[in-house]
Amino acid sequence: PFKADSKIQPNICATMIIGGNHERTTEMAFGNQIVNRNKGADNSHLYRCREIEDWASDVYRWCCDRFGKENVIGFQVHLDEKSPHCHALIVPVGRKGKEKKERVMWSAKFGKNGNEYKAILQAMHTSLYETVGKKYGLERGDSVEGRNPDEDEQSYRHRCMMAAVGMVLSRNQPRKIRR
């Protein structure tokens, strides 16, 4: 969606969904408590375990180290869905031009074409596993290969989260940030 030779780069952000295999993340979040996943169920007796907080803090720290703390503009932990996971909202920033002025640019963090994007995502996937996932006994998980570019993002997210096979990294299509 962005042309490398374009003088105008719209404000964009990336959403990363970071999770893990269902059984392990649920154990980290709730220990051996019984979670009723039925719609409208009363789970008010549940307490959040410390391990999920530590994991989420480590994921946040990984995002900050990778993209810069000032560029992580949102971070949420979801324990109310099928599998515990995090959403990180990232503004990709890089330097461009003769003056090397810092600006928002997708290609600086995610590549200029499909091949670069794929390689960067694979490296991020591995880095996230090595830095965080392994520490908490999560599986390495699926690679980004096999993603259908025509599949809509919601279906992709659902498929990844329901697969429960390990670390999951995803991105939304670039969106304009309204100020």
Side-chain angles (χ1 to χ4, degrees):
F2 302 104
K3 297 183 174 116
D5 59 348
S6 174
K7 295 197 184 304
I8 300 171
Q9 290 287 331
N11 294 330
I12 56 174
C13 60
T15 300
M16 298 177 70
I17 302 171
I18 304 166
N21 44 308
H22 173 74
E23 293 79 13
R24 180 66 185 116
T25 54
T26 300
E27 176 188 13
M28 290 180 346
F30 304 111
N32 58 6
Q33 301 172 86
I34 305 297
V35 180
N36 185 342
R37 300 271 182 208
N38 293 326
K39 186 175 182 173
D42 179 14
N43 284 307
S44 60
H45 63 285
L46 296 176
Y47 61 89
R48 184 180 60 234
C49 294
R50 176 70 191 197
E51 189 172 26
I52 199 74
E53 294 174 6
D54 293 342
W55 171 77
S57 292
D58 286 346
V59 170
Y60 175 74
R61 208 169 1 266
W62 178 86
C63 290
C64 291
D65 290 346
R66 183 145 195 120
F67 298 102
K69 185 175 183 177
E70 68 280 5
N71 300 322
V72 180
I73 62 171
F75 191 84
Q76 298 175 334
V77 180
H78 290 248
L79 303 180
D80 60 338
E81 297 176 25
K82 181 164 177 136
S83 294
H85 61 280
C86 304
H87 291 252
L89 189 59
I90 311 293
V91 177
V93 173
R95 296 187 182 276
K96 186 175 181 179
K98 293 176 186 172
E99 67 279 356
K100 297 293 181 193
K101 188 174 181 181
E102 202 170 64
R103 59 183 68 191
V104 175
M105 53 191 288
W106 186 260
S107 61
K109 297 298 179 185
F110 299 104
K112 295 177 182 148
N113 59 48
N115 289 335
E116 284 183 18
Y117 172 71
K118 180 179 172 182
I120 289 168
L121 272 191
Q122 287 175 336
M124 286 171 52
H125 195 191
T126 298
S127 171
L128 182 58
Y129 172 72
E130 292 294 328
T131 306
V132 180
K134 192 185 287 189
K135 177 178 177 180
Y136 292 94
L138 294 168
E139 299 169 10
R140 167 60 170 82
D142 264 347
S143 85
V144 295
E145 288 184 42
R147 172 158 184 204
N148 177 355
D150 297 326
E151 178 179 31
D152 76 357
E153 195 63 31
Q154 199 63 27
S155 298
Y156 176 64
R157 284 184 192 172
H158 184 265
R159 181 171 58 81
C160 286
M161 294 311 299
M162 298 307 121
V165 292
M167 302 304 292
V168 175
L169 227 48
S170 178
R171 78 162 175 85
N172 277 343
Q173 294 297 321
R175 299 183 197 180
K176 291 185 178 180
I177 300 173
R178 294 190 179 151
R179 296 185 190 220

